[in-house]
Amino acid sequence: MERCKSFLALMDTKGFGKLEWVDFEPQWEKIRKWTDIFMAFDTNRSCSLEYAEIIPALQAAGLRLDDFVLQLVGLRFSDASMAFSFPAFLHLLLKLETMIAKFRSFDMLGNGTVTLNYRQWLHMTIYN
């Protein structure tokens, strides 16, 4: 149930605690694409991605992360054996996409730097 609430919070750009079809439809298309990526990189058909499989899967989704961020991803989204379940993989991609989009919305000059006040920071981080 907690993961479902997290998915909703990440997709709910209006902060209403619900999604209209017009808001959900593009997300559903992404979930379908990410499902295909998960299936393609689950080479041993374990229904999870091993840590070594997660890097090329993320790259196939268009994400490039440095080693430190990958370490944090492993700590946050993998299980004790460093494997990523399908729901964890979807949560990770949705979280990264949302965080990147929010960052870009504040990066007015496009130089990779943002300035946030306290309220903006809380708003950006508390509901996702």
Side-chain angles (χ1 to χ4, degrees), residues 90-103:
L90 291 180
H91 189 190
L92 167 60
L93 289 176
L94 192 54
K95 179 80 169 177
L96 285 170
E97 180 180 82
T98 302
M99 291 175 68
I100 291 166
K102 285 182 180 181
F103 181 89

Side-chain angles (χ1 to χ4, degrees), residues 69-113:
V69 173
L70 284 169
Q71 179 182 343
L72 296 176
V73 161
L75 291 171
R76 173 64 178 90
F77 293 94
S78 69
D79 62 20
S81 66
M82 294 299 287
F84 294 78
S85 68
F86 177 63
F89 179 71
L90 291 180
H91 189 190
L92 167 60
L93 289 176
L94 192 54
K95 179 80 169 177
L96 285 170
E97 180 180 82
T98 302
M99 291 175 68
I100 291 166
K102 285 182 180 181
F103 181 89
R104 287 181 177 156
S105 74
F106 283 95
D107 185 11
M108 302 300 182
L109 300 176
N111 63 2
T113 303

Side-chain angles (χ1 to χ4, degrees), residues 6 9 110:
S6 291

Side-chain angles (χ1 to χ4, degrees), residues 116-126:
L116 300 172
N117 65 37
Y118 182 70
R119 185 175 185 282
Q120 289 169 317
W121 171 253
L122 287 178
H123 180 265
M124 216 168 71
T125 59
I126 199 75

